[in-house]
Amino acid sequence: MEQNIILSKKSKTANGTVQLTGSKSECNRALVIEALSNGKVKVENISDAADTVTLASILKSKVESQKSKVLTAGESEIENPISEINIGPAGTAMRFLTAYFTLQDDEVILTGSERMKQRPIGVLVDALRQLGAHIEYEEKEGFPPLKLKGSFEQLTSKISIKGNISSQYITALLLIAARLPLGLELHIEGDLTSRPYVQMTLAMLEQAKIQHTWEGNVITISHQEFATTILPVEPDWSAASYWYSIAALADEAELFLPGLTQYSLQGDSVITEIMANFGITSQFKDGGVHLLKEAKPLSRKIFDLKECPDLAQTIIVVCAALGHEATFTGLETLKIKETDRVKALQNELAKIGVKLIEKGLLYKLDCSEKFISERVFINTYEDHRMAMAFAPLALLIPEVEIEDAKVVEKSYPAFWSDLEKVGFSIEASPLKGEQ
């Protein structure tokens, strides 16, 4: 059952230490690498995000079933029916597992939530089919659920994919590249969206001794073996971004996030540079990062978020709350996320009188009619980042009601309890639905 919560905070300060879970982005990649390595790679500091738990469970089940087959080799086996794997709302799991199961012998059907069935996957399926995969659509062409038939025989090593789509399609292909008999020569067409996520994937593969070349718009990975190694997962910079937004909206803030490093694989670590515009300094010492709020006039007017789209909601809400009429670019992928995040932002910002105006590829905030009420209700659209991006408004608005509080379990299950540790009050709403 969905449970709404009401946030409030008497003090407009934010002080304390917050221990973040492992990075969902890093961990999901590491788990697939581990599964493909035949036991050579082990993952440390696995995230407790719901998406990661789902992916880990599916991959563990697959690995255990493979071991069982080895143990029963030579015995007569009853042919197993096609397995249906439901990944729920886990978009990363859908992309990564589509590529992963391409190389397995099993026949499986990959399905998910109703929203997942509306999220396009045709670009990845087309690329995998070119390589030799047997994939069919069970319902709507270009969308999950998918039937993967196994029996992969590689037809080519050279494929092209558009760079302005989800980087997870590209990552899914790169993760399986070393296991392809002919390797992979991936040509990226046009500008690459979310480049840091692709760089993260390649860096993690390198940690497992999978080599690559990246020349111009072509990434090449030959057929090669994974090395015995441990992949440590850093705390989640995406989760850290919400603490930067809290610091930005507080009158005073001094927060410590252990485990985060200045030189991170995660593209969302750019939040340190972005939030410096809002007077938040980041000091890396004592095994983590210290956030300190300082008085500073906000002057930056244009934010290009092409390489960090998961920060978009956080930054846009902060600007809106401060009445800063900034312009944003690089939001092309937001419409195919857990929800249409552009539309969701427009709907919810309107509740404080702020407009997010779309003009082609530019998005501009109009804060001329902004107001701060005594109470606001925030719809989350089954999107974890909507809940967490709008929660910091409780520093400005006496009561902020958040729809479906459990939605944060997708990436940051401890978010609400962590807010309580730094002085936010949280109570269950007696009402259901929009007020």
Side-chain angles (χ1 to χ4, degrees):
M1 180 183 296
E2 293 184 3
Q3 177 63 63
N4 299 350
I5 59 171
I6 299 173
L7 298 178
S8 61
K9 196 171 192 311
K10 293 181 180 179
S11 166
K12 304 310 175 188
T13 62
N15 302 286
T17 297
V18 181
Q19 181 67 60
L20 302 174
T21 187
S23 163
K24 182 165 73 80
S25 296
E26 282 190 33
C27 203
N28 288 348
R29 287 160 173 78
L31 287 169
V32 176
I33 292 171
E34 181 182 57
L36 290 168
S37 74
N38 295 326
K40 292 182 178 179
V41 175
K42 300 297 181 185
V43 183
E44 283 187 349
N45 191 31
I46 294 178
S47 170
D48 60 1
D51 278 13
T52 300
V53 172
T54 297
L55 180 60
S57 175
I58 293 168
L59 291 172
K60 181 180 179 182
S61 176
K62 171 59 182 171
V63 170
E64 288 178 349
S65 71
Q66 287 175 325
K67 289 180 180 177
S68 176
K69 285 183 180 180
V70 171
L71 292 173
T72 59
E75 300 178 11
S76 59
E77 295 181 7
I78 299 174
E79 187 175 344
N80 291 326
I82 298 174
S83 301
E84 180 172 296
I85 297 173
N86 191 325
I87 54 82
T92 307
M94 175 60 74
R95 278 78 177 262
F96 291 3
L97 288 174
T98 297
Y100 172 78
F101 277 108
T102 291
L103 301 186
Q104 309 307 311
D105 294 332
D106 314 59
E107 289 193 27
V108 301
I109 292 175
L110 277 180
T111 188
S113 64
E114 286 306 307
R115 173 59 184 167
M116 185 57 58
K117 294 180 180 182
Q118 300 167 15
R119 298 180 69 178
I121 199 167
V123 171
L124 177 58
V125 169
D126 288 347
L128 290 167
R129 282 174 169 174
Q130 289 176 51
L131 288 171
H134 303 284
I135 305 174
E136 296 177 359
Y137 294 109
E138 287 289 279
E139 295 178 12
K140 185 179 178 182
E141 191 77 11
F143 298 84
L146 306 173
K147 180 189 284 186
L148 296 102
K149 294 189 175 182
S151 305
F152 178 82
E153 293 183 10
Q154 191 169 2
L155 302 176
T156 181
S157 63
K158 298 179 182 180
I159 58 173
S160 297
I161 193 167
K162 292 182 179 178
N164 63 350
I165 42 80
S166 172
S167 64
Q168 289 179 10
Y169 299 154
I170 296 171
T171 282
L173 294 166
L174 294 175
L175 287 172
I176 65 168
R179 279 280 178 235
L180 297 173
L182 305 178
L184 179 66
E185 185 178 301
L186 185 61
H187 294 249
I188 299 171
E189 300 175 353
D191 291 337
L192 176 58
T193 299
S194 305
R195 176 180 290 266
Y197 286 99
V198 175
Q199 293 171 326
M200 176 199 297
T201 303
L202 293 170
M204 295 185 73
L205 286 168
E206 280 190 345
Q207 289 178 23
K209 299 301 185 275
I210 298 299
Q211 303 301 313
H212 74 277
T213 62
W214 189 345
E215 298 177 357
N217 66 336
V218 181
I219 302 174
T220 303
I221 297 178
S222 63
H223 175 73
Q224 54 195 293
E225 291 299 318
F226 291 89
T228 300
T229 189
I230 293 175
L231 289 182
V233 175
E234 186 184 12
D236 192 359
W237 270 106
S238 302
S241 72
Y242 306 114
W243 295 97
Y244 276 86
S245 66
I246 287 168
L249 296 185
D251 291 341
E252 297 177 11
E254 190 169 350
L255 297 163
F256 178 56
L257 308 179
L260 291 170
T261 62
Q262 189 167 6
Y263 303 103
S264 172
L265 296 178
Q266 300 171 55
D268 284 352
S269 61
V270 73
I271 193 69
T272 60
E273 299 171 23
I274 293 172
M275 283 297 177
N277 295 282
F278 297 83
I280 311 302
T281 62
S282 302
Q283 298 178 358
F284 291 91
K285 60 182 182 180
D286 307 322
V289 60
H290 292 263
L291 280 57
L292 185 65
K293 174 73 176 284
E294 297 178 346
K296 181 178 180 179
L298 179 53
S299 58
R300 182 171 171 181
K301 286 291 187 180
I302 299 177
F303 294 86
D304 182 357
L305 305 178
K306 180 175 69 174
E307 296 192 345
C308 52
D310 281 347
L311 300 181
Q313 290 144 294
T314 304
I315 297 163
I316 290 171
V317 172
V318 167
C319 286
L322 296 175
H324 184 59
E325 296 189 335
T327 297
F328 306 91
T329 62
L331 307 186
E332 291 82 0
T333 63
L334 261 62
K335 296 183 179 182
I336 60 168
K337 296 284 189 177
E338 282 78 350
T339 185
D340 180 340
R341 287 177 170 171
V342 171
K343 181 66 175 175
L345 281 166
Q346 290 170 329
N347 291 344
E348 302 314 298
L349 290 176
K351 295 175 180 178
I352 59 171
V354 175
K355 296 176 183 177
L356 179 63
I357 301 168
E358 180 178 356
K359 292 185 178 179
L361 298 179
L362 296 178
Y363 297 81
K364 181 176 174 57
L365 284 177
D366 178 356
C367 303
S368 59
E369 298 179 8
K370 182 196 124 182
F371 62 87
I372 298 298
S373 59
E374 289 296 307
R375 190 174 186 281
V376 67
F377 178 91
I378 300 298
N379 289 97
T380 57
Y381 308 86
E382 300 181 2
D383 184 350
H384 54 133
R385 300 204 188 281
M386 286 297 292
M388 293 185 284
F390 279 87
L393 290 182
L395 285 157
L396 305 177
I397 298 173
E399 287 191 359
V400 176
E401 181 165 356
I402 303 289
E403 176 195 34
D404 187 14
K406 287 188 176 181
V407 73
V408 303
E409 292 177 1
K410 181 178 177 68
S411 64
Y412 189 172
F415 182 67
W416 304 122
S417 60
D418 283 349
L419 285 185
E420 288 181 309
K421 290 175 184 175
V422 298
F424 285 78
S425 296
I426 300 176
E427 62 182 78
S429 171
L431 303 173
K432 300 287 190 297
E434 185 168 359
Q435 333 264 293

